[in-house]
Amino acid sequence: MPPPTAPEDVYRHGLRLLLDKDIPAWVDLWDPDGVFELPFAPDGWPARLEGKAAVADYMRGYPDHIDLHDFPDVEIHRTTVPETVVVEMRGVGRLVDSGTSFDMTYIAVVTVQNGLFTHYRDYCNPLVLLQEPASDFTGRNPR
């Protein structure tokens, strides 16, 4: 079966990879020149990543810190631009180091071309991250 190319299908496939903790496969969904923006990133966290390599570096330690369990609410909205979707969702899981549960809300504006993320703007709720230092998967704060 060929890989998905419709934006909503690529996005849902990416969520499945994150739940499976398959970060290399999730990174493979990125265009080499893709841009990942986090407009509400906490102080000290990157607000913009340029290129697949930067995304891979950013996500490298993710499963060692964040244990995703589910995305119970996912609504994907088509836009007037066929390559772009707007996603409203929740992610639930636990922080590996502390065992603390988390429940985060997200809105993402995602553009997919040729089956790859070319632009991904993630408006996640940073308050959850700021309340728990164990959520820092970026490697900026040593344990």
Side-chain angles (χ1 to χ4, degrees):
M1 175 153 99
T5 58
E8 58 271 23
D9 295 337
V10 173
Y11 195 85
R12 287 187 190 282
H13 179 64
L15 293 180
R16 176 79 272 162
L17 293 172
L18 290 173
L19 289 173
D20 291 344
K21 297 165 186 39
D22 192 346
I23 301 306
W26 186 81
V27 170
D28 283 344
L29 293 177
W30 281 83
D31 181 85
D33 298 317
V35 175
F36 189 11
E37 292 184 278
L38 300 137
F40 299 129
D43 287 341
W45 290 48
R48 182 179 174 94
L49 302 164
E50 296 187 21
K52 181 177 181 174
V55 172
D57 187 52
Y58 176 76
M59 292 294 290
R60 182 169 287 113
Y62 190 87
D64 296 330
H65 296 271
I66 309 276
D67 180 18
L68 280 171
H69 295 166
D70 195 13
F71 293 104
D73 301 311
V74 178
E75 291 186 44
I76 299 177
H77 308 279
R78 301 281 304 160
T79 70
T80 58
V81 178
E83 299 84 15
T84 301
V85 292
V86 175
V87 182
E88 298 176 84
M89 64 182 212
R90 278 180 47 228
V92 296
R94 72 175 181 86
L95 302 174
V96 173
D97 285 350
S98 68
T100 304
S101 295
F102 72 88
D103 187 331
M104 283 185 73
T105 57
Y106 306 80
I107 293 178
V109 180
V110 181
T111 301
V112 173
Q113 294 177 335
N114 300 316
L116 300 174
F117 296 127
T118 58
H119 195 258
Y120 190 125
R121 189 174 300 122
D122 188 347
Y123 295 94
C124 67
N125 176 0
L127 296 177
V128 173
L129 300 174
L130 296 174
Q131 294 170 4
E132 183 61 61
S135 67
D136 184 0
F137 63 89
T138 66
R140 67 179 173 85
N141 288 326
R143 294 184 201 178

